[in-house]
Amino acid sequence: MAQILIVDDDHQLRQSFERLLSAEGYTVRTASTGEAGVEMVRERLPDLVVMDVRMPGLSGLEAFAAMREIEPRLPVIIMTAHGTTETAIEATRMGAFDYVLKPFDIPDILKLIEKGLSAGRFMRSKVEMDAPAEGGEGEAIVGGGPAMQEVYKAIGRAAPTDATVLIRGESGTGKELVARAVYQYSSRAGKPFLVINCVAIPETLLESELFGYERGAFTGASGRKVGKIEQANRGTVFLDEIGDMPVSIQAKLLRLLQEKHVERLGGAGPIPVDVRIIAATNRDLEQAVAKGAFREDLYYRLKVVTMTLPPLRERREDIPLLARHFLCRFSREAGVPDPGLTPQALVFLTGHDWPGNVRELANVLQKTLIFNRGGPIAADDLQQAAGAAPPPAVSGTAGAVAGAGGDGSAQEFLRRFVRGELVAARDDEGAFESLMDRFGAVVIAEALAMTSGNRTRAARLLGLSRPTLLARIEKYGLKIETSVTSQLGATEFDGPGR
């Protein structure tokens, strides 16, 4: 649960923030002065700070500078009245995440807070390299084959330098993780790390997002805006999907790389900045240069260090390690035992081409784990999740129950389910009750899915009273989706607590 610190001398505003953010599921602490806010950051680092500019004693700008000394990567949102906008802009130039004008709309501030929290998690989350199958606390770059060993070497050699890095590879190969690893092992690791997706931001906004603008630079520019590159001074900027950057903006990026300064739109002159650029693309840049869609001089400026990530089909020896890593991670996150994989499942995994690469592999394993109800994951489970084979006419628990007395599918399902649960129980005294709860949760979840989440119809289908069904739903911690997304409908649930 994210922890947010509110620093403002207005008691009513602090209370309002506390009620609002607590209702959103955040843990909230408050401070009435800049001095108290700095001390609270020093005692226990929050995930994000929202702070006023004008306060008695230590001002918001001075408090921000002190907080930045404690943790440069701490996202801080500055609140300001119109009369103190310039001070807030100065804080943004110093590295504050953003500023918001009072009074503000609740949806806007909540959206900004979520963006700040996401940026903070991105900067501080650890990336492990060649992690063991049992996983660790952070995300990991997994693989022990020759191709990945070359990637590890390149990270190790490039990270300590300030050289520009170009990361190439198909979608889903892990370019963002490699960029974070380069940052993590660099001398700038304690400084800001900002991410700009050159595709996600419309072309009309990308230039101002990167380089900022001055008041009156264009219609609607009512004040100055500090760009992300200037905001990341002394840190690192990751330009994702740079192959899709408009040619009109490429010239300004080239100037940054050559001359180490930026110019805001409508600005009077250059502003010195010290940032390291890491870029990534899945495009064929050589072809783009030949077609005039990408500047040749920028291409050579970017590829000082080039890392090419191999697609998964070219490093099949790493697939079993990746599969075990993801199963362990997803099982831990879901709070369920790791079911493991059958030998036939491993054969399917290593033989599949995975056009979506590591991202697709992770997606298929997570989907399979959600619908796995016991025993090791089989090849046909993976084939169905990957869309590599036509699904059976009726799938999941409902299909197994429907097949009772026919082809033996119900008995086989129950056998796999019980075996998996008994292995996971490991001689616990409550194994029988736990097994009954698990099976009950599966049956009720399927009934809810078949009735699109209608409790009354599900109770009638199961032969239960509605109050009994509601009590079981609460006991098992089932989450119900009423939208239908497949033949039988879709029902999300966490499964019972043990």
Side-chain angles (χ1 to χ4, degrees), residues 191-214:
K191 304 296 190 298
F193 181 38
L194 299 186
V195 180
I196 302 291
N197 188 310
C198 299
V199 173
I201 303 173
E203 181 178 346
T204 53
L205 299 178
L206 182 58
E207 184 172 2
S208 61
E209 186 75 12
L210 285 171
F211 303 105
Y213 55 80
E214 295 289 348

Side-chain angles (χ1 to χ4, degrees), residues 2 4 111 136 149 158 181-182 235 338 363 408 447 470 474 489-490:
I4 299 173
K111 184 177 180 181
Q149 291 299 328
V182 172
D338 183 345
N363 177 277
L470 294 177
E474 182 177 359

Side-chain angles (χ1 to χ4, degrees), residues 99 218-219 365 369 425:
Y99 69 87
F218 50 84
T219 302
L365 287 167
L369 180 65

Side-chain angles (χ1 to χ4, degrees), residues 382-413:
L382 294 167
Q383 287 172 342
Q384 183 174 338
V394 183
S395 60
T397 312
V401 174
D407 61 2
S409 58
Q411 290 88 335
E412 176 59 26
F413 167 80

Side-chain angles (χ1 to χ4, degrees), residues 256-267:
L256 166 68
L257 294 173
Q258 288 176 333
E259 303 172 16
K260 307 298 182 186
H261 70 245
V262 295
E263 291 185 25
R264 299 186 190 128
L265 286 170

Side-chain angles (χ1 to χ4, degrees), residues 250-251 254 257-258 289 294-303:
Q250 292 175 23
L254 177 65
L257 294 173
Q258 288 176 333
V289 168
F294 201 85
R295 292 181 63 116
E296 186 176 16
D297 44 7
L298 177 59
Y299 167 70
Y300 286 112
R301 280 284 179 178
L302 287 172
K303 61 172 298 186

